[in-house]
Amino acid sequence: MPIGSLADRMPVGAFVPFLIGAMILAIAYGSSFLLVDVLRAAGRNAAEAGNIISIGTIATLAGCVGAGRFAERIGILPLIICSAVMMACAMACFAGLGVLGIGIAYTGGLLLGLGWSVFYILAPIQLIHCLKPAGRIEALTLLSGSQMLGIGLSAPLGHLLVRGLGSPAMIYVCYGLFCLIAAGLMVWARRALKTIDQLPMVAVALTIPLASGIVGARTVFPVIMIGLSACVFSGLSTFQTLYAESRDLSSGTFFLTFTVTTVALRFSIASHIGKLPLGKLVFTMFALTLSALVLLAVNEKSMTLYIMATLLFAIGYGLTYSTLNAMIVNLADERGLSIPVASQVFTIGYFIGAFGFPYIAGGIIRSYGIDMTLLLLMAIVVVNMIVTMTVFRRGVTAL
């Protein structure tokens, strides 16, 4: 099917339920932050939450590898619907922790990681399959905004439910019902999408030859950039409490400011972002991120500087994922490479940085402290800026 027959924008009747469903599933995924409360209420060691999440991480990586292969057979949205049901089952497992024992929680971690990875890797591909290159950045930005909003709402909504229902386990009962609602919304979106043209379901499976084609071509640059960006985000987020304590500040200020700013930015600028020069946009995002890290490093105990640095970081990092995702799929499209595989390789690059870097950063913090970690994060951003200049100086893309 020629690209010209695709839509400039997703039909509202499909896109709105799709985004709401994405937000709901992100709320369920963010519920992993509440596992400590449920474990304590069940009389278990709260430290076991880390082991349960680790099981989920392994399942997430496994889901990334297999999602495309299954999507070729049954379709993208049917598999996303299955992932929503899988996440509902994960919520049920967590809710039953107090009655059925700790083993059911590990099963929940496995189902949560698998369900989320299938959704996370396929949702952008579904949008890409429906849209022309010019419309992809806007749609992907709105999708990432919905996901960030859901993750940001998860913990405060959970605490509100605990106060109203009186039991941490009831959080997961409610979130399980939410996941079933998300599955229904995806069914609705699927029916609405039948009225528009979409790219054929070919070369969606993540195979070694197709992945090698992406990595071996210049399409690898956005993968490098998102992997490095994920290192910066995960490193700063994971150890934000340590940073805040070292400056007598509250890490809650960082997370609240970051979430509100990022969500507002993604929803407000989505319709305009595709019109901006891509090279300058990417370089500016990295420059803002670097400025934020410099402010964090020089800040001693100023709340004003802390908020300013967080705002800069939210603006700089907030649009990185959707912009680079659109960049890699458009590059793959220009070069006749598999668009779905390009998106999957991109997501895996993000997961490798997000899950792998905290281990490295943790070792640096133990040996040298949080300030040395900030210097490392700055160096990573500088590398990203150099890669960006190299890419666009060579004219890798005409976007």
Side-chain angles (χ1 to χ4, degrees):
M1 178 181 295
I3 292 291
S5 65
L6 299 178
D8 294 308
R9 285 188 171 183
M10 287 273 288
V12 174
F15 200 30
V16 170
F18 190 86
L19 290 180
I20 296 174
M23 182 190 69
I24 291 173
L25 293 180
I27 288 174
Y29 179 69
S31 70
S32 59
F33 301 140
L34 304 167
L35 270 176
V36 169
D37 297 333
V38 178
L39 286 165
R40 284 174 175 166
R44 307 292 306 193
N45 188 342
E48 289 190 81
N51 297 331
I52 295 169
I53 294 171
S54 295
I55 291 291
T57 299
I58 295 170
T60 297
L61 296 176
C64 288
V65 174
R69 188 172 302 278
F70 284 103
E72 277 190 347
R73 297 177 181 177
I74 68 173
I76 295 175
L77 272 174
L79 194 54
I80 287 177
I81 293 166
C82 290
S83 74
V85 174
M86 198 179 303
M87 291 179 71
C89 293
M91 299 298 105
C93 289
F94 294 145
L97 169 61
V99 177
L100 301 175
I102 192 65
I104 197 70
Y106 282 93
T107 302
L110 189 69
L111 290 171
L112 181 63
L114 192 59
W116 175 252
S117 68
V118 169
F119 165 74
Y120 195 85
I121 205 164
L122 291 182
I125 296 175
Q126 178 60 67
L127 299 182
I128 292 162
H129 266 235
C130 299
L131 296 170
K132 295 177 181 177
R136 289 169 182 166
I137 293 183
E138 177 184 1
L140 291 171
T141 301
L142 290 172
L143 174 63
S144 63
S146 298
Q147 292 170 331
M148 178 61 73
L149 178 60
I151 291 174
L153 284 174
S154 185
L157 178 60
H159 293 143
L160 182 64
L161 289 172
V162 168
R163 286 195 293 271
L165 301 173
S167 170
M170 289 303 296
I171 299 172
Y172 289 105
V173 173
C174 294
Y175 283 7
L177 294 174
F178 289 172
C179 289
L180 294 179
I181 292 172
L185 289 169
M186 293 302 176
V187 171
W188 182 359
R190 185 190 180 201
R191 290 175 179 171
L193 284 176
K194 289 181 178 179
T195 61
I196 67 171
D197 291 331
Q198 300 182 48
L199 293 174
M201 288 295 297
V202 295
V204 177
L206 185 64
T207 64
I208 292 177
L210 290 176
S212 298
I214 300 298
V215 174
R218 289 184 175 179
T219 43
V220 75
F221 287 117
V223 178
I224 295 171
M225 287 189 278
I226 195 58
L228 294 175
S229 296
C231 290
V232 174
F233 175 69
S234 64
L236 197 59
S237 300
T238 302
F239 301 103
Q240 187 58 220
T241 299
L242 292 178
Y243 170 82
E245 289 175 351
S246 72
R247 266 70 172 179
D248 292 332
L249 300 167
S250 170
S251 61
T253 302
F254 172 87
F255 290 111
L256 178 62
T257 304
F258 175 82
T259 300
V260 171
T261 305
T262 303
V263 171
L265 180 69
R266 289 176 180 177
F267 280 110
S268 63
I269 203 172
S271 60
H272 306 288
I273 191 171
K275 303 171 185 177
L276 301 174
L278 190 59
K280 292 180 180 179
L281 174 62
V282 174
F283 187 85
T284 300
M285 289 189 301
F286 293 147
L288 289 172
T289 302
L290 180 61
S291 300
L293 293 171
V294 170
L295 282 182
L296 289 174
V298 301
N299 186 21
E300 294 183 358
K301 296 183 180 181
S302 169
M303 179 62 74
T304 302
L305 273 183
Y306 193 35
I307 294 173
M308 287 178 57
T310 305
L311 286 170
L312 287 174
F313 183 72
I315 296 170
Y317 178 81
L319 300 174
T320 300
Y321 190 92
S322 56
T323 302
L324 294 179
N325 197 1
M327 177 181 170
I328 189 173
V329 297
N330 289 347
L331 283 171
D333 187 17
E334 291 172 2
R335 286 155 177 75
L337 300 171
S338 170
I339 293 175
V341 169
S343 183
Q344 290 174 78
V345 170
F346 177 85
T347 303
I348 290 173
Y350 170 80
F351 281 145
I352 290 172
F355 293 147
F357 186 76
Y359 177 80
I360 298 172
I364 294 173
I365 287 174
R366 284 191 295 271
S367 301
Y368 304 104
I370 190 67
D371 289 315
M372 183 60 70
T373 305
L374 286 173
L375 289 175
L376 175 59
L377 296 180
M378 287 184 224
I380 291 172
V381 177
V382 170
V383 171
N384 252 346
M385 296 172 74
I386 293 171
V387 172
T388 303
M389 289 188 292
T390 302
V391 168
F392 288 94
R393 185 175 296 165
R394 292 179 180 178
V396 169
T397 179
L399 294 173

